[in-house]
Amino acid sequence: MSSFVQKLLILLVIALFGAATVYLILHPELMSGALPVSKHSVTIAELAYSYYGDMSRPLFPETSLFLPLPVQLVISFVIVLVMALVALFFPKARRFVMLLTTVACLRHLLWRGFETLDVSTITAGIVSITIFVAEIMAFVAMLLSYFQVWGQTDRKSVGLARYSADQLPTVDIFICTYSEPVSVLYRSLVGALSIDYPKKRVYLLDDGNRQEMAQLAARLGANYIARSENIHAKAGNLNNAFKQTNGDLILIFDADHVAAKCFLQETVGFFMADSKMGFVQTPQHFFTEDPFQRNLLASRKINNEQDLFFHVIEPGNDYWGAAFFGGSGAIFRRQAINEAGGFAVETITEDVHTGMRIHAKGWKSLFYNRDLAAGLSQESFADFIKQRLRWAKGMTQIFVLENPLFKWGLSLPQKLCYLSGIWYFFHGLPRLIFLIAPLFFLLFGFKTINAGFVEVLMYYIPSFLCATLGYTIISKRMRHSFWSEVYEVAFCVYITLTSFTTFLSPGRAKFRVTPKGGVTDQLNFNWRIVFPQVMIAALTMVGIGMAIIRGLSTPEYAGGIYTNLFWSLYNLVLLFGAIYVAQERPQFRLAPRIFRRIRCELKLLDGSIAVGYTTNISESGLSVIFNEPVPIAGTVQIKIMDWELNETTIVTVQTVRSSLNEYNQHQVGFRIVNRTEEQHQKLVRHMFGSPDIWENDYVQQDTGASFWDLVTVPFRLSGVKEQALKRGAPRFHVTLSCMIQTESHQIMANSDDVSESGISLFFKKNEPVAIGQSILVHIQWPSGHVSQFPGQVMRLEDAGQGQYRAGVNFMGLTREQRVELIQQIYRPKEGLVRVAPSINKLFHCAVKGASGQPVTGMSQEVSEMGMVIVLDANAAHQAGLKSGDDVQVQIQWQAPSAQVQQTQQRVYPGKIMDIQQQGSQAMTLVYFQGLDMKTLDEISFHIYEAENDPAFHTRIS
């Protein structure tokens, strides 16, 4: 839904609400409960009584919440108008939105408590009061969350340049593991070992005591610490390593989190600047889709479920000096952990518990809001639920065993922030009640709200609109309130049971590790995990059906069911979302992809260089896009040139898919073959080394699209099929005159398409051709040149009109034949493949041919493949320069316009491909010949990097 449509709908709501308010004020007789509504003079109250029982409160009371009803109508309209205008024109007014939403919800709550509770019978009283208590719990949760995010910090890094290496503290890096596979730990260890910091030690803390982990640590050069007993799970593992190490600071990562190269450079300075800094927490970024993003096809519509906490709530906690320890990506001062008594072992959320104790000892914390590490999301909805239940149990344990409200040493803001974090996990109960509440009315006739629908809407619309629009503003558009409700519905049943049982019995539970690093090729629907939601949804649909039947049988009475019918329909959408997410989509990739743009160079068969950029990269392959079609055959080498990390990697690859997009750009998927240990580590650094990789991973949610996307999930899921690998070479649709030569026949044919790997041919049905037959294909190209290539018939099908269509794969081509095929397909006019994009840049040049006489000139275009050089026509003629000559090209690598006249002169072998006289100038196209990778790297640097780079001489030496 577009922004314009959203604004139009908001304005429509304002107009309708305002018109209804004015109309009722101008016609006070409509507020009479005895108003005739049909030709039989049956009142609404009488119709309501016929099915739902007597209403003790009039449909249109004279007063509502101590004020005349028309006054309350005006107040409601003003709240709606102000909130809508703020949402439309002042989307950054976060604090005003919080205050207005609080007023609207408090007004709603007071009206509910004073005027709408039905206590006429014991059963009705229990139902009515239970729902009201749930509303109070939700209101308390809202107030606490508003307090948490009232302010937002945006810390800047404290650099280490001012400190010498001797002044820097030592850092121990702990990577905790229990049952994760080697492939997951490999990335994490490589990332930690690659962190740029002179005084660090990396430790693999293996609670599984596995031989393969000891071997992995030894192979990579990390320290290994294991223990035979798993007492106190992760907290015990950390405490065990804490006693065996002595670093001034301790950096903690989960097994699946990979650090950026600059992690310590950007965080250690906070400890240097403040001696009371106890710990610094960084965000936990997740580079794989969570179950909601993956299973609901919403990866580009919603953020990861935990992004709201780490990019909105944690900066709010930090504003109050109460940044939480999140379990991974945090760096501690050893002294602070000592004074807190080590890592907390009494609960299974040792992270939050330990952070709270450090705060209570007077140590400061800080949240640095930059993604400096990335990890894996939960791989299934069941894993998601298990993790949330562990958090719910641990936070409830903290509430019972060491309640932050009574924790000595915490400031009041810190107490409230910790209480808000705990209270969130009690919110499953009110959410469950809100799902069931309308069923009491629709199925059994209990009045959940003892008021007419007009009065209900008068209080509900302002609070609902403020909460919905306000949530988007308060969350910085990282999440729409609708998706928050879907998340709550997804785990409300289990989290309520867990919190309740833990509250009664808070003893330590077993710590369950969230599985990471698996794959599945099956579509699986986990009915068991969503059985409660399925049952509630079924009952809701029955209730909706009964309400519709009743509304049709007594059309005069519609208002009595409107409120609960709308409520039930909204609940049904939320329930469907929670149910859809249990349909686990296949996951084929063991090696996750990182979407990063890195410059690459591919050496082609004729010796020229194609320049492209990665669209994604993994440990086992990469996808590259070239601006023009690129001839790729067999196994080739590709050079990854990561200027950001100042690291270059050359890998051998095979093409697994190849296609041209609508812009004629060539998209190629490569599989890395014969990967060495050094290459593997470099690939991990390319994937995770830069924190800038994650900056564009967040989406600004469209408030209207959230609801629509979820409603349409079943239709979108039904149309999704896992894509098979595409062709290994792009096809070009072209009609060419061809001839098929068999052992005994010559068959005339026409091509349908042609590629580097084969050709599709049409010929008459009566010709003797069979699948598997070896043939020789003669192709006449548009230039008139005729080529012949050996092939094999792989496919034969009836094309209609008395013709067969044959798919032929070229087989056993020589190098010369491959070059010929490539030349004819891609650039017939030049006779060679030219795919490296050129850049207009001026460099002083000289061209020396067989005569030995250098001819000076100036470059006009330059690429890694060659140059267009402007020479003096007379001088070129006197030196005997002509097309096809082998020459030496001398380049002065310094632009004439540069202020600092530092130059680097280099000589490169080349060949003149074309020379044309234009007046007094000779436009000379020269291709470089026989350059190695180091020389190509040097040329790339001079073309694409700033001429005055301080590292100029270092990087080309």
Side-chain angles (χ1 to χ4, degrees):
M1 187 182 295
S2 68
S3 176
F4 173 76
V5 175
Q6 292 177 49
K7 293 179 180 179
L8 193 62
L9 288 176
I10 292 173
L11 293 174
L12 182 61
V13 170
I14 296 172
L16 291 175
F17 200 89
T21 302
V22 172
Y23 188 77
L24 288 173
I25 292 174
L26 295 177
H27 298 81
E29 69 276 5
L30 294 177
M31 300 185 188
S32 169
L35 175 70
V37 294
S38 74
K39 61 183 179 179
H40 303 293
S41 298
V42 179
T43 65
I44 293 178
E46 289 171 345
L47 287 169
Y49 178 77
S50 67
Y51 179 53
Y52 296 107
D54 190 20
M55 270 189 181
S56 59
R57 182 170 177 81
L59 289 174
F60 299 98
E62 293 183 3
T63 62
S64 179
L65 196 59
F66 316 122
L67 294 173
L69 188 62
V71 174
Q72 290 290 7
L73 279 170
V74 172
I75 293 173
S76 297
F77 175 69
V78 170
I79 293 175
V80 170
L81 178 63
V82 171
M83 185 65 232
L85 292 176
V86 170
L88 288 172
F89 304 110
F90 305 99
K92 295 184 179 180
R94 297 177 67 255
R95 291 184 177 180
F96 179 81
V97 167
M98 293 183 211
L99 292 174
L100 184 61
T101 304
T102 300
V103 169
C105 293
L106 181 60
R107 173 175 172 263
H108 184 192
L109 206 61
L110 290 173
W111 169 73
R112 289 279 290 114
F114 281 110
E115 300 186 354
T116 68
L117 299 182
D118 182 9
V119 292
S120 57
T121 65
I122 295 177
T123 305
I126 291 174
V127 172
S128 188
I129 292 174
T130 298
I131 296 172
F132 181 57
V133 170
E135 291 181 86
I136 293 175
M137 291 182 66
F139 181 70
V140 171
M142 185 191 76
L143 289 181
L144 288 172
S145 65
Y146 281 2
F147 176 81
Q148 262 189 302
V149 300
W150 181 256
Q152 297 280 290
T153 60
D154 185 16
R155 308 282 187 178
K156 303 303 179 185
S157 177
V158 178
L160 299 180
R162 72 188 78 173
Y163 305 105
S164 66
D166 294 337
Q167 294 176 299
L168 297 177
T170 56
V171 180
D172 293 333
I173 303 175
F174 290 174
I175 299 177
C176 307
T177 180
Y178 174 64
S179 59
E180 295 82 3
V182 170
S183 60
V184 171
L185 269 301
Y186 185 94
R187 291 191 292 266
S188 301
L189 282 173
V190 170
L193 290 164
S194 301
I195 292 177
D196 183 15
Y197 191 77
K199 300 168 72 174
K200 71 176 190 293
R201 294 183 294 267
V202 178
Y203 295 88
L204 178 59
L205 314 185
D206 181 19
D207 234 10
N209 199 16
R210 294 167 289 169
Q211 184 63 32
E212 61 267 28
M213 288 299 163
Q215 294 172 352
L216 176 65
R219 192 173 96 210
L220 296 178
N223 300 285
Y224 179 75
I225 298 178
R227 57 181 187 147
S228 57
E229 297 180 352
N230 305 126
I231 300 174
H232 300 142
K234 181 179 176 181
N237 195 9
L238 289 169
N239 285 330
N240 178 61
F242 183 78
K243 296 173 184 177
Q244 300 182 47
T245 57
N246 56 9
D248 302 315
L249 304 177
I250 297 174
L251 174 57
I252 298 173
F253 288 118
D254 282 343
D256 59 300
H257 280 245
V258 189
K261 187 175 181 180
C262 60
F263 194 107
L264 292 177
Q265 292 289 336
E266 298 198 25
T267 55
V268 170
F270 293 118
F271 295 90
M272 305 288 288
D274 191 342
S275 61
K276 289 300 292 180
M277 186 60 62
F279 68 91
V280 173
Q281 176 70 55
T282 64
Q284 292 183 22
H285 183 82
F286 298 91
F287 60 89
T288 56
E289 298 175 339
D290 69 20
F292 289 89
Q293 294 173 307
R294 181 176 61 254
N295 296 340
L296 299 181
L297 304 177
S299 61
R300 293 296 153 197
K301 299 291 186 180
I302 60 175
N303 292 297
N304 187 283
E305 191 267 342
Q306 293 192 54
D307 286 341
L308 180 72
F309 174 78
F310 282 107
H311 294 287
V312 178
I313 296 176
E314 272 284 57
N317 288 336
D318 191 33
Y319 176 82
W320 298 111
F324 289 3
F325 170 31
S328 181
I331 181 169
F332 290 83
R333 194 184 296 273
R334 178 175 288 271
Q335 184 182 352
I337 298 176
N338 260 327
E339 292 188 14
F343 294 92
V345 299
E346 294 81 3
T347 63
I348 59 174
T349 46
E350 80 295 325
D351 45 10
V352 175
H353 201 173
T354 300
M356 186 178 74
R357 286 180 172 177
I358 290 175
H359 283 137
K361 290 295 182 180
W363 290 95
K364 298 178 183 178
S365 68
L366 182 145
F367 180 72
Y368 180 51
N369 196 3
R370 191 174 188 216
D371 296 321
L372 297 177
L376 295 168
S377 293
Q378 301 81 20
E379 292 170 358
S380 70
F381 183 54
D383 294 336
F384 175 89
I385 294 295
K386 290 175 185 177
Q387 186 185 63
R388 294 325 186 260
L389 295 186
R390 175 164 62 84
W391 292 352
K393 190 173 189 69
M395 297 299 268
T396 306
Q397 287 176 320
I398 295 175
F399 183 78
V400 176
L401 301 176
E402 199 166 350
N403 195 306
L405 289 178
F406 309 108
K407 180 68 176 177
W408 183 261
L410 294 179
S411 66
L412 179 60
Q414 288 175 332
K415 291 180 178 182
L416 292 176
C417 287
Y418 278 108
L419 179 63
S420 179
I422 294 171
W423 194 264
Y424 173 79
F425 290 96
F426 294 154
H427 196 52
L429 177 59
R431 174 55 60 189
L432 181 59
I433 293 173
F434 294 152
L435 289 176
I436 299 173
L439 298 180
F440 287 105
F441 179 79
L442 297 177
L443 296 178
F444 309 112
F446 291 115
K447 295 186 291 294
T448 53
I449 300 176
N450 185 24
F453 79 99
V454 172
E455 195 178 9
V456 169
L457 294 181
M458 184 178 68
Y459 288 95
Y460 181 74
I461 287 181
S463 58
F464 177 79
L465 189 67
C466 287
T468 302
L469 296 180
Y471 192 95
T472 305
I473 294 172
I474 294 165
S475 68
K476 303 176 184 177
R477 295 193 67 184
M478 293 202 73
R479 184 187 296 174
H480 186 261
S481 61
F482 178 75
W483 282 106
S484 285
E485 293 184 87
V486 173
Y487 295 144
E488 291 172 7
V489 170
F491 58 72
C492 66
V493 176
Y494 295 109
I495 212 169
T496 298
L497 294 174
T498 299
S499 299
F500 180 73
T501 55
T502 305
F503 188 85
L504 297 178
S505 177
R508 182 177 173 85
K510 185 176 180 180
F511 186 102
R512 298 184 183 275
V513 176
T514 305
K516 299 286 177 67
V519 294
T520 176
D521 58 357
Q522 298 294 324
L523 182 68
N524 174 45
F525 192 89
N526 194 337
W527 282 102
R528 180 183 174 190
I529 202 74
V530 291
F531 180 76
Q533 285 83 356
V534 171
M535 294 303 298
I536 296 173
L539 290 173
T540 301
M541 287 189 286
V542 171
I544 290 173
M546 291 181 64
I548 292 174
I549 293 172
R550 178 59 59 178
L552 293 174
S553 62
T554 56
E556 296 88 350
Y557 175 63
I561 65 172
Y562 279 169
T563 303
N564 285 278
L565 185 59
F566 173 80
W567 192 353
S568 297
L569 288 170
Y570 187 73
N571 282 345
L572 200 59
V573 175
L574 299 178
L575 286 162
F576 281 162
I579 294 169
Y580 296 154
V581 78
Q583 180 171 287
E584 303 288 353
R585 291 180 58 211
Q587 300 180 70
F588 296 102
R589 289 183 174 272
L590 183 60
R593 294 180 297 174
I594 300 299
F595 294 89
R596 187 175 177 217
R597 190 173 187 268
I598 310 174
R599 176 184 171 78
C600 294
E601 293 182 348
L602 179 67
K603 193 169 185 178
L604 302 177
L605 199 61
D606 67 344
S608 61
I609 300 297
V611 177
Y613 291 88
T614 62
T615 57
N616 62 72
I617 183 170
S618 75
E619 297 163 67
S620 59
L622 62 159
S623 179
V624 181
I625 187 167
F626 300 92
N627 282 336
E628 299 179 19
V630 175
I632 302 171
T635 301
V636 295
Q637 282 193 328
I638 194 165
K639 182 178 183 182
I640 305 170
M641 305 172 68
D642 196 339
W643 295 123
E644 190 171 350
L645 299 179
N646 195 24
E647 190 156 19
T648 300
T649 305
I650 299 175
V651 290
T652 302
V653 296
Q654 290 178 340
T655 306
V656 294
R657 76 180 174 279
S658 178
S659 62
L660 298 178
N661 65 17
E662 57 184 317
Y663 305 107
N664 202 42
Q665 293 174 316
H666 194 176
Q667 296 173 309
V668 188
F670 294 105
R671 179 177 62 247
I672 298 173
V673 296
N674 301 323
R675 183 188 62 191
T676 65
E677 179 73 52
E678 180 184 7
Q679 289 172 337
H680 193 178
Q681 294 185 29
K682 283 188 171 185
L683 287 167
V684 172
R685 289 195 286 271
H686 289 311
M687 293 167 65
F688 299 97
S690 170
D692 298 332
I693 300 171
W694 322 116
E695 287 184 353
N696 297 321
D697 270 17
Y698 304 103
V699 298
Q700 295 290 303
Q701 281 195 221
D702 186 330
T703 55
S706 294
F707 180 83
W708 179 249
D709 286 339
L710 189 57
V711 170
T712 58
V713 162
F715 307 101
R716 291 186 289 121
L717 282 176
S718 63
V720 171
K721 295 181 180 179
E722 297 300 323
Q723 297 294 321
L725 292 179
K726 299 179 181 178
R727 294 174 59 95
R731 294 179 295 178
F732 297 88
H733 293 282
V734 59
T735 301
L736 301 171
S737 297
C738 303
M739 183 179 71
I740 301 173
Q741 183 176 339
T742 66
E743 292 182 356
S744 57
H745 289 79
Q746 291 182 343
I747 304 167
M748 301 307 297
N750 291 309
S751 72
D752 178 41
D753 59 60
V754 63
S755 74
E756 301 164 49
S757 60
I759 190 169
S760 178
L761 298 171
F762 287 98
F763 55 88
K764 293 181 180 180
K765 274 188 177 181
N766 58 358
E767 302 294 353
V769 176
I771 294 177
Q773 183 176 0
S774 296
I775 61 175
L776 188 66
V777 181
H778 299 257
I779 305 173
Q780 183 173 351
W781 302 99
S783 63
H785 177 76
V786 176
S787 303
Q788 51 184 349
F789 305 109
Q792 185 175 22
V793 180
M794 308 302 295
R795 185 181 70 256
L796 193 64
E797 57 190 28
D798 189 343
Q801 299 181 349
Q803 288 188 318
Y804 275 130
R805 181 181 182 182
V808 179
N809 282 5
F810 298 134
M811 309 291 288
L813 299 186
T814 65
R815 184 182 187 282
E816 290 74 18
Q817 287 175 321
R818 287 189 180 279
V819 172
E820 180 183 1
L821 178 61
I822 288 169
Q823 290 173 348
Q824 294 300 328
I825 289 177
Y826 288 89
R827 281 296 177 87
K829 291 183 179 179
E830 293 181 2
L832 279 175
V833 180
R834 184 182 181 191
V835 293
S838 60
I839 291 179
N840 294 323
K841 242 179 182 180
L842 302 178
F843 297 100
H844 291 294
C845 305
V847 179
K848 183 190 296 184
S851 67
Q853 179 182 348
V855 181
T856 60
M858 188 73 69
S859 69
Q860 185 182 68
E861 297 179 24
V862 61
S863 75
E864 293 87 344
M865 182 178 173
M867 309 178 75
V868 175
I869 306 173
V870 181
L871 302 175
D872 180 80
N874 290 331
H877 177 72
Q878 292 175 4
L881 298 180
K882 60 184 184 298
S883 295
D885 283 357
D886 291 326
V887 295
Q888 297 288 319
V889 182
Q890 179 180 299
I891 306 174
Q892 184 172 302
W893 289 121
Q894 175 60 55
S897 60
Q899 295 179 358
V900 181
Q901 294 299 320
Q902 292 181 347
T903 62
Q904 289 285 333
Q905 292 187 355
R906 293 288 189 269
V907 178
Y908 306 99
K911 176 178 282 191
I912 297 178
M913 307 306 299
D914 191 19
I915 183 168
Q916 296 181 6
Q917 183 171 343
Q918 297 181 4
S920 62
Q921 296 178 332
M923 308 300 292
T924 309
L925 172 62
V926 179
Y927 278 2
F928 299 130
Q929 301 249 320
L931 303 185
D932 57 27
M933 284 294 184
K934 183 178 180 181
T935 306
L936 289 169
D937 191 5
E938 173 186 309
I939 295 173
S940 298
F941 171 72
H942 288 295
I943 295 173
Y944 294 97
E945 295 296 301
E947 292 91 350
N948 298 324
D949 189 327
F952 180 91
H953 298 281
T954 303
R955 294 179 63 177
I956 65 172
S957 62

